[in-house]
Amino acid sequence: MGSFVGVSFGCLVFGLQVRATQISLKKRIKEMEKKREHHWFELQQEQLVEAEKKELQKAAALKAKALKLASEQKEQLEVYTQEYIKKLTEERLEGELVRKKALEELEKDKLAEEEKRRHARQNNLDMKRANEELNRLKEIEKRKEAEEAERLEQYAREKEDEKRRRQDFVERKKAEKEKQVQRMREVVRF
């Protein structure tokens, strides 16, 4: 009887040591999961910031290009206008010069209007292309975000499955332990 009590006590001490080890292991696993989840969140935030930065840079480059083009065209028009005025001043012709000037002014206005329309069409085309590119980039980013979300959901499902398996294992071990204790009690009674 005394040796049986010693064995029972030894089993109880061993069981307590196993339980303490399980609790410690569970805490470490939770800490590792938290670190991993934090890492994924930080990585996702960095990717979003980088994508926004690239989008802004592309938009700024397109805007700068359009402004530069407009500035160059305005400068060319001003140079052309100044040269034309200088030419009229130097020629100082009567009659024909006035008629010629009127015709040239009309042609100039027509060309300027056509240039203005062409420039507006080009600006609209550039803006449309920029918007299409922006929308395409947004779609790509949206797909990346959806894929990342799916990966995170899959990760969460796997973690949940792992947790459930762990709980099932613990419950089985607990049930086996209770059965063993019950058998020991029945043996002690007899």
Side-chain angles (χ1 to χ4, degrees):
M1 180 77 176
S3 65
F4 178 75
V5 171
V7 169
S8 294
F9 181 71
C11 287
L12 182 61
V13 169
F14 177 74
L16 290 173
Q17 289 173 344
V18 167
R19 182 64 183 148
T21 303
Q22 287 174 345
I23 290 170
S24 173
L25 182 60
K26 194 172 187 180
K27 283 182 182 175
R28 286 176 55 201
I29 289 171
K30 279 187 180 179
E31 288 173 3
M32 288 171 61
E33 286 176 356
K34 280 184 183 177
K35 285 180 184 176
R36 193 176 313 144
E37 288 171 4
H38 180 71
H39 170 73
W40 279 110
F41 176 78
E42 289 294 326
L43 184 63
Q44 187 179 25
Q45 291 300 311
E46 288 172 8
Q47 289 172 348
L48 286 173
V49 167
E50 189 62 30
E52 285 179 1
K53 184 178 174 185
K54 285 180 182 178
E55 248 180 50
L56 289 173
Q57 287 174 345
K58 286 185 180 180
L62 287 172
K63 184 178 178 182
K65 183 180 175 184
L67 289 173
K68 183 180 176 188
L69 182 63
S71 175
E72 288 173 355
Q73 288 176 342
K74 184 179 177 184
E75 187 178 324
Q76 287 172 357
L77 187 59
E78 286 175 1
V79 168
Y80 176 78
T81 302
Q82 292 300 321
E83 287 175 358
Y84 183 72
I85 291 170
K86 184 180 176 184
K87 182 180 177 183
L88 288 178
T89 304
E90 289 172 355
E91 287 180 353
R92 295 178 183 259
L93 296 173
E94 296 291 332
E96 186 63 24
L97 182 61
V98 172
R99 189 177 71 79
K100 184 179 177 184
K101 179 181 175 184
L103 289 173
E104 286 176 353
E105 282 293 326
L106 287 172
E107 186 62 22
K108 178 183 157 188
D109 290 343
K110 183 180 172 185
L111 288 172
E113 190 63 29
E114 287 174 2
E115 180 65 17
K116 186 177 175 182
R117 286 191 196 118
R118 187 196 66 75
H119 182 63
R121 283 193 302 270
Q122 186 62 45
N123 280 346
N124 287 339
L125 186 61
D126 288 345
M127 191 58 72
K128 184 179 176 185
R129 286 180 185 154
N131 286 336
E132 288 171 354
E133 180 65 12
L134 187 60
N135 288 336
R136 186 183 72 80
L137 291 172
K138 284 182 180 177
E139 282 299 318
I140 290 171
E141 191 58 32
K142 205 181 287 183
R143 282 197 299 272
K144 285 181 181 177
E145 288 174 3
E147 289 170 3
E148 185 63 24
E150 178 58 31
R151 281 195 293 271
L152 290 173
E153 287 175 9
Q154 178 65 28
Y155 177 77
R157 285 194 295 270
E158 289 172 1
K159 283 293 154 195
E160 193 60 37
D161 290 344
E162 185 178 303
K163 181 181 176 183
R164 203 167 29 255
R165 285 194 300 272
R166 209 175 296 126
Q167 286 175 342
D168 290 345
F169 175 78
V170 168
E171 287 174 9
R172 277 198 311 275
K173 286 295 181 184
K174 184 178 177 183
E176 289 172 8
K177 190 71 174 175
E178 287 174 1
K179 285 180 184 176
Q180 186 179 14
V181 168
Q182 186 62 34
R183 282 194 297 265
M184 288 180 166
R185 285 181 185 155
E186 288 172 5
V187 169
V188 169
R189 281 188 214 148
F190 294 112

Short mmCIF file of all heavy atoms in Angstrom, two decimals, residues 65-66 68-74 76-77 109-127 129:
data_model
loop_
_atom_site.label_atom_id
_atom_site.label_comp_id
_atom_site.label_asym_id
_atom_site.label_seq_id
_atom_site.Cartn_x
_atom_site.Cartn_y
_atom_site.Cartn_z
N LYS A 65 5.23 67.25 -66.68
CA LYS A 65 5.41 67.14 -68.14
C LYS A 65 4.40 68.03 -68.85
O LYS A 65 4.75 68.75 -69.80
CB LYS A 65 5.24 65.68 -68.57
CG LYS A 65 5.47 65.44 -70.04
CD LYS A 65 5.30 63.98 -70.38
CE LYS A 65 5.41 63.75 -71.89
NZ LYS A 65 5.16 62.35 -72.24
N ALA A 66 3.14 67.99 -68.41
CA ALA A 66 2.09 68.81 -69.03
C ALA A 66 2.39 70.30 -68.84
O ALA A 66 2.24 71.09 -69.78
CB ALA A 66 0.73 68.46 -68.43
N LYS A 68 5.35 71.71 -68.36
CA LYS A 68 6.52 72.04 -69.16
C LYS A 68 6.14 72.23 -70.62
O LYS A 68 6.57 73.18 -71.28
CB LYS A 68 7.58 70.94 -69.03
CG LYS A 68 8.86 71.24 -69.77
CD LYS A 68 9.86 70.13 -69.61
CE LYS A 68 11.10 70.42 -70.45
NZ LYS A 68 12.02 69.28 -70.46
N LEU A 69 5.29 71.32 -71.13
CA LEU A 69 4.83 71.41 -72.51
C LEU A 69 4.06 72.71 -72.74
O LEU A 69 4.29 73.42 -73.73
CB LEU A 69 3.95 70.20 -72.85
CG LEU A 69 3.44 70.11 -74.27
CD1 LEU A 69 4.60 69.97 -75.25
CD2 LEU A 69 2.48 68.93 -74.42
N ALA A 70 3.17 73.04 -71.82
CA ALA A 70 2.38 74.27 -71.93
C ALA A 70 3.30 75.49 -71.90
O ALA A 70 3.12 76.44 -72.67
CB ALA A 70 1.36 74.35 -70.81
N SER A 71 4.29 75.47 -71.02
CA SER A 71 5.23 76.59 -70.90
C SER A 71 6.04 76.76 -72.19
O SER A 71 6.24 77.88 -72.66
CB SER A 71 6.16 76.35 -69.72
OG SER A 71 7.15 77.34 -69.66
N GLU A 72 6.50 75.64 -72.75
CA GLU A 72 7.28 75.71 -73.98
C GLU A 72 6.43 76.25 -75.14
O GLU A 72 6.91 77.08 -75.93
CB GLU A 72 7.81 74.32 -74.35
CG GLU A 72 8.93 73.84 -73.45
CD GLU A 72 9.32 72.40 -73.71
OE1 GLU A 72 8.65 71.73 -74.52
OE2 GLU A 72 10.29 71.95 -73.08
N GLN A 73 5.20 75.80 -75.22
CA GLN A 73 4.32 76.29 -76.29
C GLN A 73 4.03 77.77 -76.13
O GLN A 73 4.02 78.52 -77.11
CB GLN A 73 3.03 75.47 -76.32
CG GLN A 73 3.25 74.07 -76.83
CD GLN A 73 1.99 73.23 -76.77
OE1 GLN A 73 1.05 73.57 -76.07
NE2 GLN A 73 1.99 72.14 -77.52
N LYS A 74 3.81 78.21 -74.90
CA LYS A 74 3.56 79.63 -74.65
C LYS A 74 4.79 80.45 -75.02
O LYS A 74 4.68 81.51 -75.63
CB LYS A 74 3.20 79.83 -73.18
CG LYS A 74 2.83 81.25 -72.82
CD LYS A 74 2.46 81.37 -71.37
CE LYS A 74 2.17 82.84 -71.02
NZ LYS A 74 1.91 83.00 -69.59
N GLN A 76 7.13 79.63 -77.18
CA GLN A 76 7.26 79.64 -78.64
C GLN A 76 6.29 80.64 -79.27
O GLN A 76 6.65 81.36 -80.21
CB GLN A 76 6.99 78.24 -79.20
CG GLN A 76 8.11 77.26 -78.93
CD GLN A 76 7.73 75.84 -79.32
OE1 GLN A 76 6.60 75.59 -79.75
NE2 GLN A 76 8.66 74.92 -79.18
N LEU A 77 5.08 80.67 -78.76
CA LEU A 77 4.08 81.60 -79.27
C LEU A 77 4.51 83.05 -79.03
O LEU A 77 4.36 83.92 -79.91
CB LEU A 77 2.72 81.32 -78.62
CG LEU A 77 1.53 82.10 -79.17
CD1 LEU A 77 1.33 81.82 -80.65
CD2 LEU A 77 0.27 81.77 -78.38
N ASP A 109 -4.12 84.08 -85.96
CA ASP A 109 -5.21 83.74 -85.03
C ASP A 109 -5.75 82.35 -85.30
O ASP A 109 -6.05 81.58 -84.37
CB ASP A 109 -6.34 84.77 -85.13
CG ASP A 109 -5.94 86.12 -84.55
OD1 ASP A 109 -4.94 86.18 -83.79
OD2 ASP A 109 -6.63 87.11 -84.84
N LYS A 110 -5.88 82.05 -86.59
CA LYS A 110 -6.37 80.71 -86.96
C LYS A 110 -5.40 79.63 -86.47
O LYS A 110 -5.81 78.62 -85.89
CB LYS A 110 -6.53 80.65 -88.48
CG LYS A 110 -7.09 79.35 -89.00
CD LYS A 110 -7.20 79.39 -90.50
CE LYS A 110 -7.59 78.03 -91.04
NZ LYS A 110 -7.57 78.01 -92.51
N LEU A 111 -4.10 79.88 -86.73
CA LEU A 111 -3.08 78.91 -86.28
C LEU A 111 -3.07 78.79 -84.75
O LEU A 111 -2.95 77.70 -84.21
CB LEU A 111 -1.70 79.32 -86.78
CG LEU A 111 -1.45 79.13 -88.28
CD1 LEU A 111 -0.11 79.75 -88.68
CD2 LEU A 111 -1.48 77.65 -88.66
N ALA A 112 -3.17 79.97 -84.10
CA ALA A 112 -3.16 79.96 -82.63
C ALA A 112 -4.37 79.20 -82.09
O ALA A 112 -4.26 78.44 -81.12
CB ALA A 112 -3.15 81.39 -82.10
N GLU A 113 -5.53 79.41 -82.75
CA GLU A 113 -6.74 78.71 -82.31
C GLU A 113 -6.61 77.21 -82.55
O GLU A 113 -6.98 76.40 -81.69
CB GLU A 113 -7.96 79.27 -83.06
CG GLU A 113 -9.28 78.78 -82.53
CD GLU A 113 -9.54 79.19 -81.09
OE1 GLU A 113 -9.04 80.25 -80.65
OE2 GLU A 113 -10.22 78.43 -80.40
N GLU A 114 -6.05 76.86 -83.73
CA GLU A 114 -5.84 75.44 -84.02
C GLU A 114 -4.83 74.83 -83.03
O GLU A 114 -5.01 73.71 -82.56
CB GLU A 114 -5.34 75.26 -85.45
CG GLU A 114 -6.41 75.49 -86.50
CD GLU A 114 -5.86 75.44 -87.91
OE1 GLU A 114 -4.65 75.19 -88.10
OE2 GLU A 114 -6.66 75.66 -88.83
N GLU A 115 -3.77 75.61 -82.75
CA GLU A 115 -2.76 75.14 -81.80
C GLU A 115 -3.37 74.98 -80.41
O GLU A 115 -3.09 74.00 -79.70
CB GLU A 115 -1.60 76.13 -81.77
CG GLU A 115 -0.49 75.77 -80.82
CD GLU A 115 0.24 74.49 -81.20
OE1 GLU A 115 0.12 74.03 -82.36
OE2 GLU A 115 0.90 73.92 -80.32
N LYS A 116 -4.22 75.95 -80.06
CA LYS A 116 -4.88 75.89 -78.76
C LYS A 116 -5.77 74.65 -78.66
O LYS A 116 -5.76 73.94 -77.66
CB LYS A 116 -5.72 77.16 -78.57
CG LYS A 116 -6.34 77.31 -77.21
CD LYS A 116 -7.08 78.64 -77.13
CE LYS A 116 -7.83 78.76 -75.81
NZ LYS A 116 -8.59 80.01 -75.74
N ARG A 117 -6.53 74.40 -79.74
CA ARG A 117 -7.39 73.20 -79.76
C ARG A 117 -6.56 71.92 -79.72
O ARG A 117 -6.90 70.97 -79.01
CB ARG A 117 -8.28 73.21 -81.01
CG ARG A 117 -9.40 74.21 -80.95
CD ARG A 117 -10.39 73.98 -82.09
NE ARG A 117 -11.25 75.13 -82.25
CZ ARG A 117 -11.33 75.89 -83.33
NH1 ARG A 117 -10.61 75.58 -84.40
NH2 ARG A 117 -12.13 76.91 -83.38
N ARG A 118 -5.47 71.92 -80.52
CA ARG A 118 -4.61 70.73 -80.54
C ARG A 118 -4.00 70.49 -79.16
O ARG A 118 -3.94 69.37 -78.67
CB ARG A 118 -3.50 70.91 -81.58
CG ARG A 118 -2.65 69.63 -81.79
CD ARG A 118 -1.37 69.93 -82.51
NE ARG A 118 -0.47 70.76 -81.73
CZ ARG A 118 0.25 70.33 -80.68
NH1 ARG A 118 0.15 69.08 -80.26
NH2 ARG A 118 1.06 71.14 -80.04
N HIS A 119 -3.57 71.59 -78.56
CA HIS A 119 -2.98 71.50 -77.22
C HIS A 119 -4.01 70.99 -76.20
O HIS A 119 -3.70 70.15 -75.36
CB HIS A 119 -2.44 72.88 -76.82
CG HIS A 119 -1.77 72.89 -75.49
ND1 HIS A 119 -0.63 72.16 -75.22
CD2 HIS A 119 -2.09 73.52 -74.32
CE1 HIS A 119 -0.28 72.35 -73.97
NE2 HIS A 119 -1.14 73.17 -73.40
N ALA A 120 -5.23 71.51 -76.31
CA ALA A 120 -6.29 71.06 -75.40
C ALA A 120 -6.59 69.57 -75.61
O ALA A 120 -6.76 68.83 -74.65
CB ALA A 120 -7.55 71.89 -75.61
N ARG A 121 -6.65 69.16 -76.90
CA ARG A 121 -6.89 67.73 -77.19
C ARG A 121 -5.75 66.88 -76.62
O ARG A 121 -5.99 65.83 -76.04
CB ARG A 121 -7.01 67.51 -78.70
CG ARG A 121 -8.34 67.93 -79.29
CD ARG A 121 -8.52 67.38 -80.70
NE ARG A 121 -7.48 67.81 -81.62
CZ ARG A 121 -7.52 68.90 -82.36
NH1 ARG A 121 -8.56 69.71 -82.29
NH2 ARG A 121 -6.53 69.20 -83.17
N GLN A 122 -4.51 67.38 -76.82
CA GLN A 122 -3.35 66.63 -76.32
C GLN A 122 -3.38 66.54 -74.79
O GLN A 122 -3.11 65.49 -74.21
CB GLN A 122 -2.04 67.28 -76.78
CG GLN A 122 -0.80 66.48 -76.43
CD GLN A 122 -0.79 65.10 -77.07
OE1 GLN A 122 -1.09 64.97 -78.25
NE2 GLN A 122 -0.45 64.08 -76.31
N ASN A 123 -3.73 67.67 -74.14
CA ASN A 123 -3.83 67.66 -72.68
C ASN A 123 -4.90 66.69 -72.21
O ASN A 123 -4.71 65.95 -71.24
CB ASN A 123 -4.15 69.07 -72.15
CG ASN A 123 -2.92 69.94 -72.10
OD1 ASN A 123 -1.80 69.45 -72.21
ND2 ASN A 123 -3.11 71.23 -71.94
N ASN A 124 -6.06 66.70 -72.91
CA ASN A 124 -7.14 65.77 -72.56
C ASN A 124 -6.69 64.32 -72.75
O ASN A 124 -6.98 63.46 -71.91
CB ASN A 124 -8.39 66.04 -73.40
CG ASN A 124 -9.09 67.31 -72.97
OD1 ASN A 124 -8.91 67.78 -71.86
ND2 ASN A 124 -9.89 67.88 -73.86
N LEU A 125 -5.97 64.09 -73.85
CA LEU A 125 -5.48 62.73 -74.11
C LEU A 125 -4.47 62.31 -73.05
O LEU A 125 -4.53 61.19 -72.52
CB LEU A 125 -4.84 62.68 -75.51
CG LEU A 125 -4.39 61.31 -76.01
CD1 LEU A 125 -5.58 60.35 -76.09
CD2 LEU A 125 -3.72 61.44 -77.36
N ASP A 126 -3.55 63.23 -72.71
CA ASP A 126 -2.56 62.93 -71.66
C ASP A 126 -3.24 62.66 -70.32
O ASP A 126 -2.86 61.75 -69.59
CB ASP A 126 -1.56 64.09 -71.52
CG ASP A 126 -0.60 64.18 -72.69
OD1 ASP A 126 -0.49 63.21 -73.47
OD2 ASP A 126 0.05 65.22 -72.82
N MET A 127 -4.25 63.49 -70.01
CA MET A 127 -4.97 63.33 -68.74
C MET A 127 -5.72 61.99 -68.73
O MET A 127 -5.72 61.28 -67.72
CB MET A 127 -5.94 64.49 -68.54
CG MET A 127 -6.52 64.53 -67.15
SD MET A 127 -5.28 64.67 -65.85
CE MET A 127 -4.76 66.34 -66.08
N ARG A 129 -4.95 59.29 -70.41
CA ARG A 129 -3.95 58.22 -70.26
C ARG A 129 -3.47 58.12 -68.81
O ARG A 129 -3.30 57.03 -68.28
CB ARG A 129 -2.76 58.47 -71.19
CG ARG A 129 -3.06 58.19 -72.64
CD ARG A 129 -1.85 58.46 -73.51
NE ARG A 129 -2.18 58.29 -74.92
CZ ARG A 129 -1.55 58.89 -75.91
NH1 ARG A 129 -0.56 59.73 -75.64
NH2 ARG A 129 -1.90 58.67 -77.16
#
